[in-house]
Amino acid sequence: AHGKRGGCEGWDTVTITVNNAITVTASADTSICAGSTATVRVANAQQTIQYTWRDEQGNVLGTNDKLTIKPTQTTTYNVKGIQSGC
């Protein structure tokens, strides 16, 4: 931004860049046997996005595009993606 001043007035400009919304798509629901592990992943993962996996209580379980878990009961997990600079 460049400003000009002359006499009793001045002006400047500012540019605001609007980033497109990102879409995070988790892998399909799955079933496992008790004592087994499951790997869930972001189906459309991008390197510029930081992912955070949480359990139903909001605990952070991982920060990659995939997560290997060993639940003891049926559990729902969520994944959030944040793009840097957005």
Side-chain angles (χ1 to χ4, degrees), residues 62-86:
T63 56
N64 294 315
D65 61 352
K66 65 180 177 179
L67 175 70
T68 300
I69 44 181
K70 188 176 182 179
T72 56
Q73 62 186 14
T74 299
T75 307
T76 300
Y77 301 90
N78 72 63
V79 60
K80 177 180 180 181
I82 298 178
Q83 192 163 31
S84 63
C86 189

Side-chain angles (χ1 to χ4, degrees), residues 32-38 69-71:
I32 59 171
C33 294
S36 297
T37 60
I69 44 181
K70 188 176 182 179

Side-chain angles (χ1 to χ4, degrees), residues 4-19:
K4 271 192 171 177
R5 193 177 74 182
C8 296
E9 65 181 58
W11 60 269
D12 198 0
T13 60
V14 62
T15 301
I16 299 174
T17 301
V18 178
N19 295 314

